[in-house]
Amino acid sequence: MGGNLRSAHVGQSVTLGGWVHKSRDLGGQVFIDLRDREGLVQIAFNPGWTAADVIAAAAAIGMESAIIVEGSVALRPDGLRNAALPTGEIEVRATAFRVVGPAATPPIPVALDKEAKLPAEDLRLRHRVLDLRRAELQRNLVLRHRLMQVTRNYLSDDGYLELETPILTKPTPEGARDFLVPSRMHAGEFFALPQSPQIYKQLFMCAGFDRYFQIARCFRDEDLRADRQLEFTQIDIEASFITREDILAMAEGLVKALWLEGGVEIETPFPRMSYAEAMERFGCDRPDLRYGLEIRDLSSVFATSESGIIKGALEAGGRVRGITVPGAASWSRKQVDELEAIAKGAGAGGLVRLKVADGKLEGPLAKFMAADAAGPLGLVDGDLLLAVAGADRISSPALDRVRQECAARLGLAAADRREFLWVLDFPMFDRDPETGALAAVHHPFTSPNGGDMAARPDAPDTWRALAYDCVLNGTELGGGSIRTSDPTVQSRMFELLGIPDRADQERRFGFLLEGLRAGAPPHGGIAFGFDRIAMILAGSDSLRDVIAFPKTTAARALFEGAPAVVPAQDLADLHIRVTDKERA
RNA sequence: GGGGGCGUAGCUCAGUUUGGUUAGAGCACUCGACUGUCACUCGAGAGGUCGCGGGUUCGAGCCCCGUCGCUCCCGCCA
């Protein structure tokens, strides 16, 4: 209310509730900046319209106290308007006020100067109520609310039903670590919190609710990051009797609506790229298309190289791939060494560096190269070529990181550009190099490409999946797939994933197989990371700025103090014994 | 599980380089002055286990070892 007052309200009597943002005591008169959800408004306490005892009380009030003010809206005198404030044309001339919630002296400031640094993150989390009063976090949570409403309206208007799924679910051995909830009534048995509502939404499809969505809370007990929390919110969508194209078009519409709410118009449809092409050109399944620095295959030029390392890599069936960084020939030895360290950190044995000056190659390997190799390599003066020799599985991630670092150094990733992209045709499986075991790249319920499966039934490594990811500027916004709706195929997938025993499959995933056997429609869907989208649209780089009560990276909630030890009797009721010696 | 950064007043920081008197500043807080401020101004004051533990030293905020917390990254996150 108070933050919305404008000159149009002049003359009105108002009663305002809010918090003391700042106060200025000038002796005979007092000004208080009253803050509410909408903003700030100046309250003027002056002997001309305010009783002396009210002025005295106003002068004594502490910052961040909750107050109720009565008064009238008045135009400020000429020359005393504040253009920096939306309410700066007016002020409220107080006739009465009450302190309804006196505040202890705030341990962290709420009213901050424009250039002031925020308090340390742990203090902000420890005193979260005060931190949440700041305009930035108020804005972010309001945005979050609006994005939720946009999502609901868009999907509901498109015929999707918002349906809920259980929070207490069955533990699944695949994927991330489950959060487990002990069952009091069944000693030694546990519920799991859902990593996603994946199977439940497929069961909804089997049950005939052919368009489902949920703004679903998901839980994964893994280590945290700036963009990863233990619990997070997902826009979860599934539909029946649809094709991949239907899902992509629906998802593009949703993303467009979300960005519009965030104040940005974007173009649809999004460009598309196969996984194979993304890996070949960018070394990464979620490429940042705001800049080039694309990876090229240089094997044929290096084939004539006398270098033992290069020869060995090529003879072993590997390739030489690299990126050209224009103007980077001037980078210092140290700067390039740092790039090599990044490549090595990503698994590469080393980083070939060749720079071009006066048409000639320079660098440790130049002596092994033909004198005129710059031309065939496509290099001109000032270029720096950075290359990795070896298997693609080594060179791709190494060049991906080198490419990102070079782009960062050159400032190529423009913050105001948005390069959306669909990455399609992911491989179905990934093989663990140590154990040789297959793992699902997306998840075990994704449908393999039927043609791939028919063409080479005994080579699951070669199968592509009907899976897709939505990527923005190198960040994955969401992903999904067409699911396996044939219980026989699903059973075969479990088999390939290391659950060959039918009884085992039934014990673990029987509820899904039963749904599929009941007459399953073709179906598929997608899930978007809602917090991450809110973070991007809020212009923040931490999830903690769009979540009201987040956990620290050490997986603690500092405000409420979770997790916490519980009384021994509670544990006994749950049939739990703590084995850690120091805590038991 | 591993690596980097940070930790000094309620908050943000200086002081650590090269160990040496009583550890400082701004904001906030307390008291006082001030009738048009909006980073109000001015005066005075209070406020510190220098994250914690151990060590080296005549002497440690500063050096060494360990540890805790926050943070960023790797592993991990179907």
Side-chain angles (χ1 to χ4, degrees):
Chain A
M1 170 81 189
N4 279 336
L5 293 174
R6 299 292 183 270
S7 49
H9 301 93
V10 166
Q12 291 186 10
S13 291
V14 291
T15 302
L16 303 177
W19 284 263
V20 176
H21 187 70
K22 279 192 163 186
S23 64
R24 293 173 292 281
D25 176 3
L26 273 64
Q29 64 175 340
V30 174
F31 297 97
I32 288 179
D33 292 334
L34 182 75
R35 187 189 64 242
D36 62 18
R37 218 174 78 186
E38 315 295 344
L40 300 175
V41 64
Q42 173 165 282
I43 314 295
F45 299 79
N46 182 294
W49 52 80
T50 316
D53 59 322
V54 174
I55 296 178
I61 187 63
M63 288 206 296
E64 294 309 318
S65 295
I67 61 173
I68 294 176
V69 178
E70 289 173 42
S72 59
V73 182
L75 208 56
R76 294 201 198 180
D78 282 340
L80 297 172
R81 306 199 176 125
N82 186 345
L85 223 52
T87 58
E89 291 281 299
I90 55 100
E91 66 189 5
V92 172
R93 299 190 166 169
T95 51
F97 102 119
R98 278 184 295 146
V99 180
V100 289
T105 299
I108 61 170
V110 176
L112 285 164
D113 291 343
K114 288 165 281 296
E115 298 304 315
K117 272 190 73 175
L118 290 176
E121 185 99 29
D122 51 334
L123 291 166
R124 291 178 49 201
L125 293 172
R126 176 68 194 82
H127 308 289
R128 193 61 166 173
V129 168
L130 290 171
D131 198 37
L132 285 170
R133 285 183 183 175
R134 290 188 303 111
E136 180 195 359
L137 293 191
Q138 295 258 324
R139 257 198 318 272
N140 289 355
L141 293 189
V142 169
L143 172 68
R144 194 180 165 106
H145 158 79
R146 290 182 2 230
L147 296 173
M148 282 196 171
Q149 302 320 308
V150 164
T151 301
R152 291 200 159 97
N153 291 337
Y154 176 87
L155 291 169
S156 183
D157 290 349
D158 205 14
Y160 286 80
L161 302 174
E162 183 169 11
L163 302 173
E164 291 176 281
T165 52
I167 291 295
L168 297 174
T169 74
K170 179 172 180 168
T172 53
E174 270 72 32
R177 220 174 270 117
D178 279 328
F179 274 102
L180 295 176
V181 180
S183 165
R184 174 180 57 85
M185 301 177 73
H186 305 284
E189 296 182 41
F190 296 83
F191 295 102
L193 305 183
Q195 296 181 25
S196 85
Q198 180 60 36
I199 292 178
Y200 291 103
K201 70 177 177 178
Q202 291 189 241
L203 295 176
F204 274 139
M205 296 304 108
C206 296
F209 296 94
D210 61 359
R211 288 184 173 205
Y212 145 95
F213 83 97
Q214 183 176 196
I215 299 180
R217 197 63 68 84
C218 305
F219 307 86
R220 294 177 191 175
D221 189 5
E222 297 290 347
D223 289 358
L224 295 84
R225 290 281 191 282
D227 62 350
R228 233 162 61 195
Q229 283 271 311
L230 296 181
E231 55 181 303
F232 58 98
T233 304
Q234 187 168 287
I235 303 173
D236 195 47
I237 305 171
E238 195 82 0
S240 297
F241 302 111
I242 43 77
T243 63
R244 184 181 77 181
E245 293 308 315
D246 297 322
I247 299 286
L248 298 190
M250 175 274 299
E252 280 168 349
L254 173 61
V255 170
K256 188 172 185 144
L258 288 167
W259 256 256
L260 194 62
E261 188 64 27
V264 182
E265 262 188 80
I266 59 172
E267 291 288 313
T268 54
F270 302 151
R272 301 174 179 198
M273 188 180 293
S274 71
Y275 170 89
E277 182 182 353
M279 294 304 289
E280 180 63 24
R281 290 171 57 193
F282 303 98
C284 161
D285 64 2
R286 44 182 171 82
D288 190 336
L289 299 186
R290 286 176 295 177
Y291 50 88
L293 304 180
E294 289 191 25
I295 298 171
R296 294 181 296 136
D297 182 353
L298 308 165
S299 304
S300 60
V301 186
F302 278 89
T304 59
S305 165
E306 297 298 317
S307 156
I309 293 168
I310 301 285
K311 274 183 167 174
L314 291 173
E315 278 162 17
R319 297 195 286 167
V320 180
R321 299 162 74 210
I323 62 173
T324 304
V325 189
S330 59
W331 284 357
S332 69
R333 169 74 188 271
K334 179 163 171 271
Q335 284 177 300
V336 181
D337 283 348
E338 283 166 5
L339 292 172
E340 176 155 42
I342 288 169
K344 284 181 170 172
L351 187 68
V352 175
R353 70 276 295 267
L354 289 169
K355 56 185 179 182
V356 186
D358 297 328
K360 284 186 181 159
L361 291 178
E362 294 175 11
L365 250 63
K367 60 176 182 284
F368 297 121
M369 305 293 296
D372 60 350
L377 286 169
L379 302 176
V380 298
D381 280 5
D383 281 354
L384 174 67
L385 177 76
L386 299 166
V388 175
D392 292 356
R393 121 187 96 74
I394 301 292
S395 58
S396 286
L399 289 169
D400 169 37
R401 294 201 185 170
V402 169
R403 175 177 175 267
Q404 287 188 47
E405 172 63 20
C406 290
R409 287 186 188 180
L410 296 169
L412 297 178
D416 61 346
R417 281 188 58 193
R418 291 165 198 87
E419 297 291 340
F420 289 91
L421 173 74
W422 287 112
V423 178
L424 309 173
D425 299 326
F426 279 77
M428 185 69 205
F429 300 108
D430 199 15
R431 199 174 278 279
D432 187 316
E434 307 266 306
T435 65
L438 287 180
V441 167
H442 188 56
H443 58 52
F445 320 112
T446 295
S447 173
N449 179 304
D452 293 349
M453 203 165 40
R456 303 184 63 183
D458 297 323
D461 291 84
T462 66
W463 301 350
R464 288 168 297 173
L466 300 181
Y468 31 84
D469 273 4
C470 184
V471 173
L472 167 63
N473 295 351
T475 300
E476 182 193 330
L477 296 180
S481 64
I482 301 299
R483 326 297 182 189
T484 295
S485 51
D486 178 339
T488 314
V489 174
Q490 185 61 65
S491 196
R492 168 89 173 122
M493 292 304 125
F494 289 142
E495 203 175 290
L496 289 167
L497 290 167
I499 318 174
D501 183 68
R502 283 301 161 102
D504 219 19
Q505 292 182 10
E506 292 297 332
R507 190 173 52 76
R508 287 151 84 163
F509 295 105
F511 66 125
L512 171 66
L513 293 169
E514 184 182 339
L516 297 181
R517 283 193 292 258
H523 63 285
I526 192 164
F528 284 97
F530 182 78
D531 311 276
R532 193 172 288 181
I533 288 173
M535 174 180 93
I536 291 167
L537 289 175
S540 178
D541 50 14
S542 171
L543 237 38
R544 292 183 294 268
D545 288 341
V546 293
I547 295 174
F549 300 101
K551 310 288 186 284
T552 67
T553 50
R556 278 190 183 282
L558 297 180
F559 187 74
E560 62 271 42
V565 295
V566 299
Q569 186 56 52
D570 292 3
L571 291 177
D573 289 347
L574 293 169
H575 323 285
I576 296 282
R577 192 170 63 234
V578 177
T579 57
D580 190 286
K581 287 192 185 67
E582 289 166 22
R583 293 296 184 87

Short mmCIF file of all heavy atoms in Angstrom, two decimals, chain A residues 42-75:
data_model
loop_
_atom_site.label_atom_id
_atom_site.label_comp_id
_atom_site.label_asym_id
_atom_site.label_seq_id
_atom_site.Cartn_x
_atom_site.Cartn_y
_atom_site.Cartn_z
N GLN A 42 7.88 8.13 2.35
CA GLN A 42 8.33 8.97 3.46
C GLN A 42 7.15 9.39 4.33
O GLN A 42 6.15 9.90 3.83
CB GLN A 42 9.03 10.22 2.92
CG GLN A 42 9.38 11.23 4.01
CD GLN A 42 10.38 12.27 3.56
OE1 GLN A 42 11.57 12.00 3.49
NE2 GLN A 42 9.89 13.45 3.25
N ILE A 43 7.33 9.14 5.65
CA ILE A 43 6.34 9.59 6.61
C ILE A 43 6.92 10.83 7.30
O ILE A 43 8.04 10.78 7.81
CB ILE A 43 6.06 8.53 7.69
CG1 ILE A 43 5.85 7.15 7.06
CG2 ILE A 43 4.87 8.94 8.56
CD1 ILE A 43 4.63 7.03 6.19
N ALA A 44 6.16 11.92 7.30
CA ALA A 44 6.65 13.16 7.90
C ALA A 44 5.92 13.42 9.21
O ALA A 44 4.69 13.47 9.24
CB ALA A 44 6.44 14.32 6.93
N PHE A 45 6.72 13.53 10.29
CA PHE A 45 6.18 13.89 11.61
C PHE A 45 6.61 15.33 11.87
O PHE A 45 7.80 15.60 11.99
CB PHE A 45 6.73 12.98 12.70
CG PHE A 45 6.39 11.51 12.52
CD1 PHE A 45 7.09 10.72 11.61
CD2 PHE A 45 5.38 10.93 13.27
CE1 PHE A 45 6.78 9.38 11.45
CE2 PHE A 45 5.07 9.59 13.11
CZ PHE A 45 5.76 8.81 12.21
N ASN A 46 5.62 16.24 11.96
CA ASN A 46 5.94 17.65 12.04
C ASN A 46 4.92 18.33 12.94
O ASN A 46 3.73 18.02 12.86
CB ASN A 46 5.90 18.24 10.61
CG ASN A 46 6.29 19.70 10.57
OD1 ASN A 46 5.58 20.54 11.11
ND2 ASN A 46 7.40 19.99 9.91
N PRO A 47 5.39 19.27 13.79
CA PRO A 47 4.46 19.93 14.74
C PRO A 47 3.28 20.57 14.02
O PRO A 47 2.24 20.78 14.65
CB PRO A 47 5.33 20.99 15.41
CG PRO A 47 6.74 20.54 15.20
CD PRO A 47 6.76 19.76 13.93
N GLY A 48 3.41 20.88 12.74
CA GLY A 48 2.31 21.47 11.99
C GLY A 48 1.10 20.55 11.92
O GLY A 48 -0.03 21.01 11.75
N TRP A 49 1.31 19.23 12.01
CA TRP A 49 0.18 18.29 11.90
C TRP A 49 0.30 17.08 12.84
O TRP A 49 -0.55 16.21 12.86
CB TRP A 49 0.02 17.81 10.46
CG TRP A 49 1.31 17.26 9.84
CD1 TRP A 49 1.83 16.03 10.04
CD2 TRP A 49 2.20 17.94 8.97
NE1 TRP A 49 3.00 15.89 9.36
CE2 TRP A 49 3.25 17.06 8.67
CE3 TRP A 49 2.23 19.24 8.41
CZ2 TRP A 49 4.32 17.41 7.85
CZ3 TRP A 49 3.29 19.58 7.58
CH2 TRP A 49 4.33 18.68 7.30
N THR A 50 1.41 17.03 13.59
CA THR A 50 1.60 15.88 14.46
C THR A 50 1.73 16.33 15.91
O THR A 50 2.44 17.31 16.20
CB THR A 50 2.89 15.13 14.08
OG1 THR A 50 2.97 15.00 12.67
CG2 THR A 50 2.93 13.74 14.73
N ALA A 51 1.06 15.61 16.82
CA ALA A 51 1.15 15.93 18.25
C ALA A 51 2.58 15.70 18.75
O ALA A 51 3.28 14.82 18.24
CB ALA A 51 0.17 15.08 19.05
N ALA A 52 2.99 16.45 19.77
CA ALA A 52 4.36 16.41 20.26
C ALA A 52 4.74 15.02 20.75
O ALA A 52 5.87 14.55 20.51
CB ALA A 52 4.54 17.44 21.39
N ASP A 53 3.82 14.32 21.45
CA ASP A 53 4.17 13.00 21.99
C ASP A 53 4.36 11.99 20.86
O ASP A 53 5.14 11.05 20.97
CB ASP A 53 3.12 12.53 22.99
CG ASP A 53 1.73 12.42 22.35
OD1 ASP A 53 1.40 13.29 21.52
OD2 ASP A 53 1.02 11.47 22.68
N VAL A 54 3.63 12.17 19.74
CA VAL A 54 3.78 11.27 18.59
C VAL A 54 5.14 11.50 17.93
O VAL A 54 5.83 10.54 17.55
CB VAL A 54 2.63 11.49 17.57
CG1 VAL A 54 2.86 10.66 16.32
CG2 VAL A 54 1.29 11.16 18.22
N ILE A 55 5.55 12.75 17.83
CA ILE A 55 6.87 13.04 17.26
C ILE A 55 7.96 12.43 18.13
O ILE A 55 8.90 11.81 17.63
CB ILE A 55 7.09 14.57 17.12
CG1 ILE A 55 6.08 15.15 16.12
CG2 ILE A 55 8.52 14.86 16.67
CD1 ILE A 55 6.18 16.66 15.95
N ALA A 56 7.81 12.56 19.43
CA ALA A 56 8.81 12.02 20.36
C ALA A 56 8.89 10.51 20.21
O ALA A 56 9.99 9.91 20.20
CB ALA A 56 8.46 12.40 21.79
N ALA A 57 7.75 9.85 20.06
CA ALA A 57 7.73 8.40 19.91
C ALA A 57 8.39 8.00 18.59
O ALA A 57 9.13 7.01 18.51
CB ALA A 57 6.30 7.88 19.98
N ALA A 58 8.13 8.78 17.54
CA ALA A 58 8.70 8.48 16.23
C ALA A 58 10.22 8.60 16.27
O ALA A 58 10.94 7.84 15.63
CB ALA A 58 8.11 9.39 15.16
N ALA A 59 10.70 9.58 17.05
CA ALA A 59 12.15 9.80 17.12
C ALA A 59 12.85 8.64 17.82
O ALA A 59 14.03 8.40 17.61
CB ALA A 59 12.44 11.11 17.85
N ALA A 60 12.09 7.91 18.64
CA ALA A 60 12.71 6.87 19.47
C ALA A 60 12.69 5.50 18.81
O ALA A 60 13.29 4.56 19.33
CB ALA A 60 12.00 6.80 20.82
N ILE A 61 12.01 5.39 17.67
CA ILE A 61 11.78 4.06 17.10
C ILE A 61 13.05 3.48 16.45
O ILE A 61 13.83 4.20 15.83
CB ILE A 61 10.62 4.12 16.07
CG1 ILE A 61 10.25 2.73 15.58
CG2 ILE A 61 11.00 4.99 14.90
CD1 ILE A 61 9.73 1.84 16.67
N GLY A 62 13.26 2.18 16.62
CA GLY A 62 14.44 1.52 16.05
C GLY A 62 14.18 1.01 14.65
O GLY A 62 13.04 0.72 14.28
N MET A 63 15.25 0.90 13.89
CA MET A 63 15.14 0.39 12.53
C MET A 63 14.53 -1.01 12.51
O MET A 63 14.77 -1.80 13.42
CB MET A 63 16.53 0.34 11.86
CG MET A 63 17.08 1.71 11.52
SD MET A 63 18.24 1.62 10.15
CE MET A 63 19.52 0.63 10.86
N GLU A 64 13.77 -1.27 11.46
CA GLU A 64 13.18 -2.59 11.19
C GLU A 64 12.02 -2.94 12.10
O GLU A 64 11.52 -4.07 12.07
CB GLU A 64 14.23 -3.70 11.19
CG GLU A 64 15.23 -3.58 10.05
CD GLU A 64 14.57 -3.42 8.70
OE1 GLU A 64 13.56 -4.11 8.44
OE2 GLU A 64 15.03 -2.58 7.90
N SER A 65 11.58 -1.98 12.92
CA SER A 65 10.38 -2.24 13.72
C SER A 65 9.16 -2.19 12.81
O SER A 65 9.13 -1.46 11.83
CB SER A 65 10.24 -1.18 14.82
OG SER A 65 11.30 -1.28 15.74
N ALA A 66 8.16 -2.99 13.16
CA ALA A 66 6.90 -2.98 12.42
C ALA A 66 6.00 -1.93 13.04
O ALA A 66 5.82 -1.90 14.26
CB ALA A 66 6.24 -4.35 12.49
N ILE A 67 5.46 -1.04 12.20
CA ILE A 67 4.64 0.05 12.72
C ILE A 67 3.37 0.22 11.89
O ILE A 67 3.29 -0.26 10.76
CB ILE A 67 5.41 1.40 12.71
CG1 ILE A 67 5.81 1.78 11.28
CG2 ILE A 67 6.64 1.33 13.60
CD1 ILE A 67 6.43 3.18 11.18
N ILE A 68 2.38 0.88 12.51
CA ILE A 68 1.17 1.28 11.78
C ILE A 68 1.06 2.79 11.92
O ILE A 68 1.14 3.32 13.04
CB ILE A 68 -0.08 0.59 12.35
CG1 ILE A 68 0.01 -0.92 12.09
CG2 ILE A 68 -1.34 1.16 11.71
CD1 ILE A 68 -1.14 -1.71 12.69
N VAL A 69 0.92 3.47 10.79
CA VAL A 69 0.89 4.92 10.76
C VAL A 69 -0.44 5.39 10.23
O VAL A 69 -0.96 4.84 9.26
CB VAL A 69 2.01 5.47 9.84
CG1 VAL A 69 1.94 6.99 9.76
CG2 VAL A 69 3.37 5.02 10.31
N GLU A 70 -1.01 6.42 10.88
CA GLU A 70 -2.19 7.07 10.33
C GLU A 70 -1.80 8.47 9.90
O GLU A 70 -1.02 9.14 10.58
CB GLU A 70 -3.31 7.15 11.38
CG GLU A 70 -3.93 5.81 11.69
CD GLU A 70 -4.91 5.90 12.86
OE1 GLU A 70 -5.67 6.89 12.89
OE2 GLU A 70 -4.86 5.03 13.73
N GLY A 71 -2.37 8.92 8.78
CA GLY A 71 -2.05 10.26 8.31
C GLY A 71 -2.73 10.53 7.00
O GLY A 71 -3.63 9.80 6.59
N SER A 72 -2.28 11.58 6.33
CA SER A 72 -2.87 11.91 5.05
C SER A 72 -1.77 12.11 4.02
O SER A 72 -0.66 12.55 4.35
CB SER A 72 -3.71 13.18 5.17
OG SER A 72 -2.88 14.24 5.61
N VAL A 73 -2.11 11.75 2.77
CA VAL A 73 -1.14 11.87 1.69
C VAL A 73 -1.08 13.32 1.25
O VAL A 73 -2.13 13.93 0.99
CB VAL A 73 -1.53 10.97 0.51
CG1 VAL A 73 -0.49 11.07 -0.60
CG2 VAL A 73 -1.70 9.53 0.98
N ALA A 74 0.13 13.88 1.19
CA ALA A 74 0.27 15.29 0.80
C ALA A 74 1.38 15.42 -0.23
O ALA A 74 2.36 14.66 -0.21
CB ALA A 74 0.59 16.14 2.02
N LEU A 75 1.20 16.35 -1.13
CA LEU A 75 2.27 16.66 -2.09
C LEU A 75 3.43 17.28 -1.31
O LEU A 75 3.23 18.10 -0.42
CB LEU A 75 1.73 17.67 -3.11
CG LEU A 75 2.35 17.65 -4.51
CD1 LEU A 75 2.23 16.27 -5.14
CD2 LEU A 75 1.70 18.72 -5.36
#
